[in-house]
Amino acid sequence: MKKIVNAQFDETWYTHTLDNGLNLIFWHKPDFVSAAVVFATPYGALDYRQIDKEGNHLDFPSGIAHFLEHKLFESDEGDVMDDFSRMGANVNAFTSYNETCYYFTTSHGDLKEPLNLLIDFVQDLRITEESVEKEKGIINQELKMYLQMPDSRLIFETFKALYHKHPLNRDIGGDEKSVNATTRQLLEDCYKLNYHPSRMTLIVAGPQKPQTLLEWIEENQKAKSFEPVKDVGRYLEEEPETVVSSHTVIPMDVAVRKVSVAYKFAPLKTSAKERVRQEWAIRCLLESHFSSLNPDYQNWLDNEIINDYFGYEIDLGKDYAMMMFYNETEDAAAFTQFIEEQLKVLKSRAVDYQQLQLLKRRYFGEAMRTFNNMEDIAVAMIRNQFNGVSFFDTLEIIDQLDQQQVQEAFGALRFDQRSVVEISPAEDQTQA
């Protein structure tokens, strides 16, 4: 077991890989009472189409990662959530675009029982044809609910307007057609490919001694056997440079129009560290301009150019890159023009040195708060692990950012592929 100490933040963690390939990380917090455990696979909504080293395609219905998350909580012995509650632990799970995580938190000293339960239920998929069919109705109802939520619908429709073939154009849960096409056999095949110990990471953040944790987990894994697993990766069709739609209007039962102005960029063909560096550089520039750090920001609010709903996202993924701005406004054209004008300003404006230092301190302060929350630590470590850049590497990247790097990163962006999406009051369509 390897011990790693970060002297700057006075944090210690341990890493170890079991014989079956399971990756372990123990973030040791001896002065804390609570603990969090996350068991995760880098299999998310974007991975429903895969390819092995021989070039064989392994395609599943979109949303299958989310479907698997639902079914793994199924147990012949009863309700897994009730078992965790009896142990004084709160269990949950989530599926994102890039990973699926199962986790629990507890303030009870005895971690062995809930730890074993988490590992056991994630490593034991037992489903029936009947239960799969029943789950389809539940998931379809969940998807319909999200489609009726204006905020989530705005994001989903924005991705659909940007991407022709990239799986970002699909909802994390898939759609009714893909859910209905999911079978027990497909779920079992997908599970075997993506839930093998060699593809997964288990993180424990808490006061328990790392050596004790290792012994518990080794004991658990020795009692199990796993079939050899294929080396698979995400399969992507070639994505056109253009957006799908330059302007989309979705009628919904909303009181105020919601608008997104989004830009599609070519994916960065560079190292994970460089990609993270460029994303943070752009994020710093956007935050310095589209926040109260900019004296004009209050004027924009006062003149109702933006409101409290306004925000932005920058995401430079492994195989995609996009930026979006969103707002509530009755004049989508005026908001779009405003964003275009501000982006031109940013192209020629150097980030203020003092503002950049302030933003760095803010991000470091947020990191320090993360160190005091076991669940935040575990989830952040998992996401950084799967992204290919460690948590502290990210902090070092932020610390070393300078004005030139910020301007170069933003200057390299091309804003010629734009899509505007409106969630519009339904009566507007009737009157039109």
Side-chain angles (χ1 to χ4, degrees):
M1 187 160 52
K2 181 180 179 181
K3 180 180 180 180
I4 304 169
V5 178
N6 184 282
Q8 181 181 3
F9 293 96
D10 192 25
E11 296 288 340
T12 302
W13 68 98
Y14 300 75
T15 62
H16 186 75
T17 302
L18 298 184
D19 292 340
N20 63 13
L22 179 59
N23 184 37
L24 304 176
I25 300 175
F26 305 136
W27 193 303
H28 195 209
K29 303 287 284 188
D31 297 328
F32 284 69
V33 175
S34 63
V37 180
V38 178
F39 198 13
T41 173
Y43 185 75
L46 300 184
D47 301 292
Y48 69 91
R49 303 184 69 190
Q50 296 179 293
I51 188 169
D52 65 18
K53 283 190 171 181
E54 288 72 42
N56 299 310
H57 288 213
L58 305 145
D59 293 347
F60 299 99
S62 64
I64 197 169
H66 175 254
F67 207 129
L68 269 175
E69 178 212 316
H70 274 235
K71 296 313 298 172
L72 275 168
F73 278 92
E74 184 177 301
S75 170
D76 295 336
E77 287 75 36
D79 192 323
V80 172
M81 289 189 171
D82 288 344
D83 293 337
F84 277 101
S85 295
R86 176 179 54 79
M87 300 171 189
N90 297 312
V91 67
N92 214 327
F94 65 84
T95 303
S96 74
Y97 284 113
N98 296 297
E99 68 265 328
T100 306
C101 298
Y102 305 83
Y103 62 96
F104 73 84
T105 57
T106 181
S107 295
H108 289 244
D110 183 11
L111 196 69
K112 185 176 183 180
E113 191 178 10
L115 174 61
N116 277 319
L117 179 58
L118 180 71
I119 297 172
D120 289 343
F121 94 77
V122 174
Q123 290 187 331
D124 184 21
L125 177 67
R126 284 183 284 173
I127 53 177
T128 63
E129 300 280 1
E130 293 77 14
S131 71
V132 171
E133 292 305 310
K134 180 181 178 181
E135 199 69 37
K136 291 178 181 180
I138 296 171
I139 294 175
N140 280 327
Q141 282 299 114
E142 181 181 325
L143 294 178
K144 289 177 183 177
M145 177 187 71
Y146 282 119
L147 286 176
Q148 296 303 314
M149 298 171 64
D151 292 354
S152 59
R153 184 70 179 274
L154 180 65
I155 294 173
F156 173 56
E157 295 293 345
T158 298
F159 290 164
K160 279 181 61 178
L162 290 176
Y163 290 97
H164 297 259
K165 297 180 180 296
H166 193 281
L168 262 179
N169 66 8
R170 302 293 188 98
D171 190 277
I172 287 177
D175 56 29
E176 187 172 359
K177 182 179 178 181
S178 67
V179 170
N180 290 338
T182 303
T183 65
R184 174 186 176 183
Q185 188 63 56
L186 288 170
L187 287 164
E188 290 175 342
D189 292 345
C190 182
Y191 177 81
K192 288 177 183 177
L193 276 175
N194 296 287
Y195 280 74
H196 190 276
S198 63
R199 291 180 60 83
M200 301 190 71
T201 297
L202 178 68
I203 292 183
V204 182
Q208 291 75 17
K209 293 180 179 179
Q211 186 59 43
T212 301
L213 292 169
L214 178 59
E215 291 170 1
W216 289 346
I217 297 167
E218 284 181 330
E219 179 185 359
N220 179 288
Q221 295 296 278
K222 282 178 182 177
K224 302 173 182 177
S225 60
F226 302 91
E227 297 178 9
V229 65
K230 287 185 178 181
D231 186 2
V232 295
R234 182 182 300 170
Y235 172 74
L236 299 170
E237 294 184 74
E238 186 175 351
E239 173 67 30
E241 291 183 4
T242 58
V243 298
V244 176
S245 170
S246 61
H247 191 190
T248 306
V249 180
I250 306 295
M252 284 188 71
D253 185 17
V254 293
V256 182
R257 186 185 313 271
K258 296 177 185 290
V259 180
S260 74
V261 179
Y263 299 88
K264 176 182 179 181
F265 311 121
L268 297 181
K269 299 184 183 300
T270 184
S271 66
K273 277 191 175 182
E274 177 60 19
R275 177 166 47 81
V276 170
R277 185 188 68 79
Q278 291 199 40
E279 181 172 316
W280 274 104
I282 296 167
R283 190 181 302 277
C284 284
L285 184 60
L286 294 177
E287 185 65 17
S288 72
H289 190 73
F290 293 105
S291 76
S292 58
L293 291 175
N294 183 352
D296 291 332
Y297 189 79
Q298 188 59 50
N299 292 331
W300 298 339
L301 288 169
D302 294 340
N303 294 322
E304 299 183 352
I305 298 172
I306 62 173
N307 62 12
D308 291 339
Y309 182 77
F310 172 81
Y312 65 86
E313 298 289 341
I314 171 69
D315 191 352
L316 306 184
K318 296 177 182 178
D319 42 48
Y320 63 90
M322 55 84 64
M323 178 189 298
M324 69 177 290
F325 301 86
Y326 49 89
N327 192 35
E328 290 179 335
T329 176
E330 289 307 320
D331 194 338
F335 177 63
T336 302
Q337 183 179 353
F338 164 74
I339 294 299
E340 293 277 293
E341 291 171 350
Q342 298 311 311
L343 292 176
K344 289 178 181 177
V345 170
L346 286 175
K347 279 283 189 179
S348 59
R349 167 185 170 247
V351 65
D352 180 80
Y353 175 81
Q354 294 299 332
Q355 286 187 354
L356 182 58
Q357 302 311 308
L358 176 63
L359 287 168
K360 287 183 184 183
R361 290 194 293 272
R362 178 189 297 176
Y363 296 139
F364 271 74
E366 292 172 356
M368 295 299 290
R369 286 194 293 274
T370 297
F371 298 152
N372 293 325
N373 185 297
M374 300 304 101
E375 183 179 334
D376 288 349
I377 286 175
V379 172
M381 285 289 283
I382 280 284
R383 285 184 159 160
N384 281 273
Q385 176 90 2
F386 292 160
N387 195 34
V389 181
S390 76
F391 188 82
F392 287 102
D393 281 345
T394 300
L395 291 179
E396 183 178 351
I397 287 169
I398 296 171
D399 185 46
Q400 293 178 352
L401 279 178
D402 59 33
Q403 292 167 287
Q404 182 177 349
Q405 290 175 338
V406 169
Q407 213 58 42
E408 287 178 352
F410 192 83
L413 298 176
R414 290 174 48 200
F415 291 96
D416 55 323
Q417 295 302 320
R418 186 193 72 197
S419 183
V420 178
V421 175
E422 300 180 47
I423 301 297
S424 171
E427 59 267 23
D428 288 3
Q429 305 303 308
T430 303
Q431 292 170 2

